[in-house]
């Protein structure tokens, strides 16, 4: 069980998050939507431990994660908008840098785990600098899950990708939640939002739950 309670964040005099609260359970994909600049990336980066909150609480199964970065890293995998790789190294070398298990476990993941489902073996020896944007995103997800975390946070995972890569990522999300994982994603892509089982709109610094399956006009009317 994931509980987000009253998350706050201010940049100088501008309040971005004034008390965001939401909850989610294993097996759910939670979509977070809102207008550009509403604070989606700020919220996700706080939940992932990449940015500090000014206040609030983040609990997983009753355990507080804010202020406990090692525990936060054990529980949560984060796929940011930008892909944080060393482009001169191969996919395999980059994956090794992120991987938290031994080489045998990494090999097993490449054969039957997240990396296999994302098709990483198809370009394993290619320098990252020569990959397409979609390939980099697939590698980013596999790298984020190198520690087999139970919560996956994704910021605009399908942005600027072709249809094939979007489908690969969406199919992976479906499998991840089917096996008990929990996904939080911010997106403007209707096809990605269609995977979501729960939805929140971020507006005026707070999150409000909205129905899934809204039309584009109904969705943007909530922003």
């Amino acid at each position: 069980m994931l509980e987000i309670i009253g998350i706050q964040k201010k940049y100088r005099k501008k309040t971005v998050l004034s008390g965001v609260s939401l909850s989610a359970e294993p097996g759910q994909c939670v979509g977070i939507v809102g207008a550009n600049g509403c604070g989606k990336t700020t919220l996700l980066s706080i939940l992932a431990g990449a940015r500090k909150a000014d206040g609030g609480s983040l609990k997983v199964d009753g355990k507080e994660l804010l202020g406990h970065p090692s525990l936060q890293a054990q529980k949560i995998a984060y796929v940011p908008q930008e892909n944080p790789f060393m482009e001169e190294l191969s996919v395999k070398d980059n994956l090794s840098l992120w991987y938290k298990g031994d080489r045998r476990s990494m090999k097993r993941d490449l054969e039957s785990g997240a990396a296999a489902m994302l098709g990483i073996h198809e370009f394993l020896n290619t320098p990252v600098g020569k990959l397409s944007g979609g390939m980099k995103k697939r590698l980013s997800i596999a790298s984020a899950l190198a520690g087999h975390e139970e919560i996956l946070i994704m910021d605009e995972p399908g942005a600027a990708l072709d249809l094939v890569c979007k489908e690969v990522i969406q199919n992976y999300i479906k499998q991840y939640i089917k096996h008990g994982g929990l996904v939080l994603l911010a997106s403007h892509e209707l096809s990605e939002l269609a995977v979501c089982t729960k939805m929140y709109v971020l507006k005026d610094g707070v999150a409000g739950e909205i129905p899934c399956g809204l039309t584009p006009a109904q969705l943007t009317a909530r922003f």
Side-chain angles (χ1 to χ4, degrees), residues 27 113-114 117 168-183 195:
M117 293 175 65
V168 169
I169 291 170
Q170 290 162 24
N171 286 339
Y172 179 74
I173 291 172
K174 291 175 184 177
Q175 290 299 313
Y176 185 80
I177 62 175
K178 180 180 178 181
H179 290 93
L182 193 165
V183 175
V195 180

Side-chain angles (χ1 to χ4, degrees), residues 29-34 156 170 173 185-200 210-214 216 219 223:
C29 179
V30 179
I32 299 175
V33 298
E156 301 285 354
Q170 290 162 24
I173 291 172
L185 67 86
S187 179
H188 292 289
E189 301 272 347
L190 290 178
S191 58
E192 286 175 354
L193 296 177
V195 180
C196 296
T197 58
K198 196 173 186 179
M199 293 273 292
Y200 289 89
I210 60 175
C212 294
L214 296 178
L219 190 61
F223 290 5

